[in-house]
Amino acid sequence: MYGLMQQRELLISGLIEFAQKNHADTEIISRRVEGDIHRSNWAEVGKRSQQIAHALKRMDLAVGSRVATLAWNGYRHLELYFGVSGTARVLHTINPRLHPDQLAWIVNHAEDEVLCFDMTFLPLVQALHAKTPTVKHWIALCDTHQLPKDSGIPGLQSYEGWIGQEDSAFDWPQFDENTASSLCYTSGTTGHPKGTLYSHRSTLLHAFGAALPDVMNLSATDSVLPVVPMFHVNAWGLPYSCAMVGAKLVFPGPAMDGKSVYELIEQEHVTFAAGVPTVWQMLLSHMKPLGVRFSSLKRTVIGGSACPPSMIHAFKQDHGVEVLHAWGMTELSPLGTLCSLKNKHMSLPLDQQMKIRLKQGRSFFGVDLKILNDQGQLQVHDGQSYGDLYAKGSWVINKYFKQAQSPLIDGWFPTGDVATMDEDGYMQVVDRTKDVIKSGGEWISSIDIENIAVSHPSVAMAACIAIADPKWDERPIVVVVVKPGLVLSKEELLAFYVGKTAKWQIPDDVIFVDAIPIGATGKILKNKLREDLLKREAP
Ligand code: AMP
């Protein structure tokens, strides 16, 4: 027997329809690439996303086509979130920090047909456009008078020119909620980046979950600053959750330095902010010498990398701001856990509460976690015993885009993280099995760094490992064995990296050794290598 309730598909257009109707004058603030502050609201975003819908129709772009963005957090990017997905096309948000060759690979793999970019990325697009034959339309996110005269990009048009003449009323189509809505590539481990293709259903369920009180606790009283980029897993879903609850949104544009972020928080009375530890480190370092405090900020979600205890203390003790430590992945839309306390913890002394807050947190309805030991058995939940972390749920990946084989094992997604779980379900990440380094919230593939090193004629063997860094959380260094009879300097090898990988991915240091430890299966024993290096440094 079926229930007798209305069937309304969970669609992203429903979010913007709701926000436009019920929170019309709630502000959307953006710092633009030009540096000025732009003021819009949910009614405007709603209207302009409908203009995008008309403009896409005029282009004759088929349903399911990919529309890519190379853009900072801002109102035009937000309008594309709704205008593109709302018409059953797929919004492909690209990470502009990648090397141009990687970007070209991603655009070609996604078969993007339209590419919208902030003017900051014009040089990148100039380097890209001849290598990306699928892109038929190039759109600069600017006014028509700001278009460069001789960009060298055929048919380049301005965003405002593209949508300006369109009608601001569009009948959003109704379709199956499992339709693809957005695409995000993750470029962590070996081989090419892999695409996670979200659906309208997974996006809306994630938005519901993220807004829950024990998760981000978002409401119409909030002024929300996503410092986490909109090209990083949809800014952790905040554009969708904020539309769902009618929160004010404040976008930092390209200015993520401590001074700019602090000014924006104060000017726009931000109550809730989200970002990776590196950004908050820059913010706190800016504020401390000035002796300034937050007047409105209440909560901040910190994730993407482990949040240092000192940061949680500084926010709480110096500023009375509650830090919510979160863990997630591109493949999880991204939220997997968030660290909020339970009723029984409220009577604990502050230092014991703090011990809990340092963990990555507990899962919430919609996502399930398990930890398996080396024998593939469920690990005990004692907060000590660790194992491989697996996830499953309504917003967890089933298959990567254009890959026939599913990464799931017995229906669970292997995260590549190693974790413990305590009796109350609080998860703590203790290590990674995937061979990657996360610097300032961005991935560096150890294997790519090693491959470049061994392509140098003097290098016999190379291993890339992470070292802890107070600003960037982790930085890569490369350990090298030089071929017998040859000579290589650190400067020569570091210069060899230039142009072969993004500048920020180049290792900070080169350490020359006689041998690198290898395991029985021929793999480099990185833990042993780290131990050896520590011993070498100890005397
Ligand atoms: P991404 O897909 O780029 O969002 O990266 C996901 C990965 O980042 C996870 O699998 C973890 O290795 C790491 N990560 C995310 N959040 C945290 C956290 N709070 N603590 C430690 N590692 C984290």
Side-chain angles (χ1 to χ4, degrees), residues 186 232-233 236 302-307 325-331 334 360 415-417 429 432 434 438 441 443:
T186 171
H232 256 185
V233 215
W236 298 350
I302 303 186
S305 289
C307 179
H325 193 188
W327 169 87
M329 299 183 71
T330 306
E331 290 89 337
Q360 273 73 8
T415 67
D417 288 323
V429 175
R432 281 186 210 127
K434 45 195 173 192
K438 211 168 192 191
W443 288 119

Side-chain angles (χ1 to χ4, degrees), residues 394-416:
S394 306
W395 51 80
V396 179
I397 194 165
N398 187 26
K399 268 186 186 175
Y400 288 103
F401 184 47
K402 292 187 178 172
Q403 284 201 3
Q405 231 181 336
S406 167
L408 305 195
I409 301 172
D410 296 333
W412 291 78
F413 173 68
T415 67

